[in-house]
């Protein structure tokens, strides 16, 4: 069977490199083109020693492909993606440019007008657990952010089933690779190592995505939610600790049963029976969820964790690709977590 | 002036060793005796190379001292402390044995009857910012746990001033040294490094302390609070992220002013104007607090951080000692944080 | 085609768990039995969340298998392996029990008499790059230690080709997982993290292995070598920095050509053109080698690195299994390194 | 007694900030001026939260001071230091600009002509253990690099006493803060964390300093030495592992006695009786040295470790200042190491 010819726009960031790593071992595709902003002209395998087998010169413009991944930052990504779509290439965009359905919201959070508001409504939000059918048919998939993937998966069963009421607190923690490969003091080793802090207290750009999707799934809306991200001294891994008042009369047993039911046939979301650790997902496409109840105060606590570069980015993008190609959803992404 | 003769019960754990490190450079005291459970007969300076100048043989029983610190675990600590008190020695206990005023609560959380309930009421809870006068006069000071110090200091101004209403969520994060020097899989390097998770979801033993003190200071009670601790891959450092609904009509400006006022004359609690990082407290006795408001949802968010072994344990114990001895409160504990 | 039925003796250590992880995705085998010392009776997938798909109860004794891996410590391993051999099971032993050909040397370094000196000569030393043919035919393969694999691969081309003379210094650095899952103060997070030191200055047990194999390959013998291991605050990864006087007249160009030639057809040993980093091998079965010359002093410097749990243990064991089974050597172990 | 008025040129790097931290608690000096390249106009205490008590606006030019520290990079440092000297200010330069006595060597390694070769001979090399008297009288002290301090102190006793012969191998390991606060991919958290590698294989700029000083102290010269630095995933700490052939007839007992004798009265260099760990020096001005003999091969192995930002930079600079001011050498730098 002929392999699908795929390309990666901006292979030189962490998400782009992770896409290359996964796609290189994927049995149904062939990476035929890759672009980069700073390293054009060099071989992928010389820029990234772990990708030594990738014999591909980094280009300024993507060559001829059947399907493209964009791993550019927002704004630059839309500029690269829109022409590809016009040429008939199916695209999975890992940036934020096509995640929000509402162009006004986009402008509010990203501080410039969206270049093509119509594309927003045509794009599928690439969270297979909520939008599998749309993704299968989509020309453009907006791959979710890492915090949204982790948080939405953690809260969707509770909201859909009306298990909670009132305000929700989401305290998220992320490894540093989530901040990307671009140099900044916040990612400088001696600043981050042996350190811990919250950031984006005035509002993180992943918040509107979380609200959009939770409002979409919730039995009651609008959803009210405070989201505070924290930076953790580790490379990969993300945990969202979610808190909300359990609706009176609901029990932990009921909660656990509804969560298990919600994800019963999902290949990558697992309800676990003890608090999950990010290391249990390292390098895998898994999202582990642990719902529990603080019975003393009637509070639902949901812990949700994943590898921010896999299920939180590149792995989920390949999961979406598998859906778009109509091949088994786990193809090429059934890696077991690396432990210890 | 004659130096106060102090002793350390169980110098061989992390809190005991940190006490020795601080007291060794303290101008008003002399460490004259130290005990240990496993290393008795050895010199402190050979067990701990960083304490090489401490020329003191570890004993089974504490020698003659004016004031003693106990760094034993709970239960063992009470057994060591009670006889010392009877001999007239003033004691600062860093264990949990005398922190809870209610012996029933103690039994509930520590699963054995308290050996001397009367001592509970006589003990001062060693948080100087709330109990300075009691501490000055006390024969026995119960040094608070690290999570309680961090959390109570973060929430006391809000509760005292009636700034919040409804349920409080405290999502705390701690470095691994908080779990002590005793070997366990949860502190094994390859398990903890590059990993992150919540624990004690069924209730952490620091919770009743937090509630006792917050109820003591709150304008309205009882305080309702969910507390979830997380383990972070770093050695020292603690952050409590606290969330509650801001009382309608209150503003961030008002909140910040009341927090600043509450700690105006405190030598070790600082209200900061951007989100604090644990590294800004490393090795120091500081607690940094950042109160802010998620105006979108009317939620008060307070970030409070400290070094769990200093302000969260040994440094605060020495601060209490200074108060008990009637010497300037900052004596010997005005170290600047180590950065980076 | 029927899958080979394999078993893992002591699946509960890091090497055992890594074997399970790799074998579970190996297309030619099926894990049918696993033993453990402390966790017998539990399911592998509940002891190790990252192995959740492994539905296998941990036994005291290995069941019926075609081929067994032993991941027990030395001494215990021989006791488990010898009966298996007698039953006709082919065995790959990851302990040190069958690595040394000389029973006297074994006794000297491991401080007890070897239980079956004859088995020593029958065992193949499982370094495919040096002993591929013996391994293919062997009933018992002694899988090399991590330091020996890293160091022997780094020095073999130089010694075989007579590139160096005089004494060799090997300064090795290892991640903490090499010390195993057994609790000890040396692997306690707060002791190891942000720390660095040398150990086993009186002689590490991996030294006789290194000497045995280098003497076997060297153009001149005996080889004189100082080996000093260091513990590095990271979980996985190993680097051997090797130093020796370059034979007069030899050039760096010549050195690099001979190294490239030595490993020309090897699937897992790569000569790289800049100093390798352990992260470039993480989770893969690769060994990266960089030979260079300090021309100012005529010193050959060879840097050799790998993942201590993969090429340094479990991955190499599976490579040996592939050879024993006569299937392509890279089957199931062609994972790309995880980066970042 | 009036305090000495000191200034810090470039307070905004790690060495500059560490100087400020130490000097702020130094009883004999007052920081009256500080410059910075990027943060001029801001308050030191707002740029560095750990220096909150430092109420000093960062200037472009240093104000009037009695003694100045320069923490600029080489070249820029000489440009700042020479005018200060002309104004009669005594200077301690932590850059490499005045360390090498030979201007030709300077040009060779730093690739530009030295701006004032005469100043080179007037400068004292600021390693108190070798040059105490010169330092006391100097107008300009060239504070040694971190690798040189660690390595020279480790090897000086052996070379002075003729304990070794032939080539020396120095395998050094450093925490990442040694690479400074300037952003670069080599210090990017996700690149360095959980990683390990050698660098500067073509010659590190600290090598000529090491050779200059060891040739100065050695009984036989020239000293032949290979120096290979490695980057370790930790913030602070440095270890040099030094290897050389022990002169026949010399014993370990003799070696240890001569080392102990060499540093008998030194306040900051300690000969230890087991392999030292960098954590035993964290935040202190100590250098710990462990000389031992690999008796199997007659090789002297010396392990030497320190905190690269303290004894390897700012702490040693203050030690030099104390000597220049004629006050007790340990004043303000007798901090105990932070453990764990």
């Amino acid at each position: 069977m002929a392999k699908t010819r795929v390309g990666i726009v901006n292979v030189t960031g962490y998400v782009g490199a992770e896409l290359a790593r996964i796609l290189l071992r994927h049995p149904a595709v062939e990476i035929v083109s890759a672009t980069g902003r700073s390293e054009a002209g060099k071989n992928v395998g010389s820029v990234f020693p772990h990708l030594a087998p990738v014999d591909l010169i980094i280009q300024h413009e993507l060559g001829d492909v059947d399907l493209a991944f964009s791993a550019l930052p927002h704004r630059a990504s839309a500029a690269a993606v829109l022409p590809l779509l016009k040429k008939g290439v199916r695209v999975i965009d890992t940036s934020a440019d096509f995640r929000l359905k509402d162009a006004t919201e986009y402008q509010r959070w990203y501080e410039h007008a969206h270049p093509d508001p119509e594309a927003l409504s045509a794009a599928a939000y690439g969270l297979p657990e909520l939008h599998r059918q749309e993704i299968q048919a989509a020309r453009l998939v907006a791959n979710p952010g890492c915090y949204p993937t982790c948080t939405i998966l953690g809260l969707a069963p509770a909201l859909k089933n009306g298990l909670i009421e009132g305000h929700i607190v989401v305290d998220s923690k992320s490894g540093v690779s989530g901040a990307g490969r671009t140099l900044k003091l916040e990612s400088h080793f001696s600043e981050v190592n042996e350190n811990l802090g919250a950031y984006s207290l005035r509002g993180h750009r992943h918040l509107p995505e979380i609200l959009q999707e939770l409002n979409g799934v919730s039995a009651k809306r609008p959803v009210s939610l405070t989201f505070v991200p924290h930076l953790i001294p580790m490379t990969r891994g993300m945990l969202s600790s979610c808190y909300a008042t359990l609706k009176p009369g609901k029990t932990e047993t009921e909660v656990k049963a509804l969560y298990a039911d919600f994800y019963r046939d999902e290949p990558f979301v697992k309800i676990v029976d003890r608090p999950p650790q990010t290391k249990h997902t390292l390098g895998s496409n898994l999202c582990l969820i642990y719902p529990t109840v603080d019975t003393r105060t009637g509070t639902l606590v949901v812990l949700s964790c994943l590898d921010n570069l896999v299920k939180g980015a590149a792995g989920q993008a390949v999961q979406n690709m598998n859906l778009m190609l109509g091949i088994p959803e786990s193809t090429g992404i059934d890696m077991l977590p690396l432990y210890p």
Side-chain angles (χ1 to χ4, degrees), chain A:
Chain A
M1 198 185 81
K3 293 191 172 184
T4 300
R5 296 160 52 84
V6 303
I8 303 171
V9 179
N10 198 33
V11 74
T12 52
Y14 287 146
V15 174
E18 185 69 346
L19 278 165
R21 194 179 72 90
I22 295 173
L23 293 169
L24 196 68
R25 288 288 180 266
H26 193 288
V29 308
E30 185 186 3
I31 311 174
V32 297
S33 181
T35 75
R37 295 189 295 176
S38 52
E39 308 274 11
K42 295 188 190 163
N43 201 308
V44 171
S46 78
V47 172
F48 292 112
H50 75 293
L51 298 176
V54 184
D55 186 19
L56 208 60
I57 300 296
I58 300 174
Q59 309 285 343
H60 283 290
E61 294 290 326
L62 205 65
D64 185 41
V65 300
D66 303 323
L67 184 147
F69 295 88
S70 171
L72 283 166
H74 67 91
R75 191 161 194 177
S77 197
V81 162
L82 292 169
L84 288 168
L85 288 171
K86 281 196 187 117
K87 290 203 298 185
V89 177
R90 294 177 87 180
V91 177
I92 297 164
D93 180 16
T94 69
S95 88
D97 276 344
F98 300 96
R99 294 177 190 156
L100 300 180
K101 295 300 172 193
D102 180 343
T104 314
E105 274 289 281
Y106 181 86
Q107 181 154 3
R108 175 179 165 205
W109 288 92
Y110 294 93
E111 297 169 345
H112 65 103
H114 195 279
D116 186 349
E118 277 177 38
L120 290 180
S121 51
Y125 188 79
L127 193 62
E129 292 77 8
L130 296 188
H131 301 285
R132 188 166 278 115
Q133 288 188 334
E134 296 163 62
I135 294 163
Q136 285 165 333
R139 306 297 308 167
L140 169 60
V141 170
N143 212 56
C146 46
Y147 285 122
T149 297
C150 190
T151 304
I152 297 164
L153 292 176
L155 286 170
L159 285 164
K160 165 121 189 194
N161 290 292
L163 294 176
I164 54 181
E165 50 185 29
H167 189 60
I168 301 169
V169 168
V170 177
D171 184 297
S172 286
K173 297 100 180 160
S174 173
V176 182
S177 65
R181 200 166 179 248
T182 304
L183 302 184
K184 39 189 144 174
L185 194 61
E186 293 72 24
S187 306
H188 198 59
F189 182 86
S190 301
E191 302 287 323
V192 184
N193 183 43
E194 287 288 292
N195 196 4
L196 167 67
Y199 65 101
S200 290
L201 271 292
R202 292 286 163 231
H204 188 281
R205 282 170 167 168
H206 281 173
L207 174 63
E209 252 181 83
I210 294 172
L211 290 175
Q212 166 183 292
E213 294 300 312
L214 291 183
N215 275 316
V217 79
S218 181
K220 270 202 282 186
R221 61 188 69 110
V223 168
S224 170
L225 184 148
T226 292
F227 169 68
V228 177
H230 297 72
L231 199 60
I232 304 296
M234 61 186 194
T235 302
R236 291 178 179 229
M238 171 168 284
L239 174 70
S240 284
S241 309
C242 311
Y243 307 88
T245 299
L246 189 68
K247 185 173 281 186
K250 300 292 181 186
T251 66
E252 183 167 67
T253 307
E254 207 172 339
V255 167
K256 284 182 185 291
L258 287 167
Y259 266 76
D261 194 56
F262 193 97
Y263 293 119
R264 189 166 311 284
D265 299 321
E266 288 300 334
F268 296 116
V269 183
K270 301 297 170 194
I271 306 303
V272 293
D273 57 8
R274 52 184 154 157
Q277 302 178 7
T278 58
K279 197 185 269 289
H280 300 157
T281 67
L282 180 63
S284 84
N285 199 46
L286 295 171
C287 176
L288 306 180
I289 298 177
Y290 178 76
T292 189
V293 174
D294 177 11
T295 51
R296 209 177 38 79
T297 65
T299 305
L300 175 69
V301 180
V302 182
L303 303 169
S304 173
C305 78
L306 48 73
D307 181 324
N308 55 298
L309 289 179
V310 190
K311 182 62 175 168
Q316 180 148 273
V318 175
Q319 186 180 355
N320 284 321
M321 180 194 77
N322 291 343
L323 289 169
M324 293 165 82
L325 298 181
I327 62 178
E329 195 167 334
S330 302
T331 309
I333 44 174
D334 67 341
M335 310 82 78
L336 292 173
L338 193 68
Y339 161 91

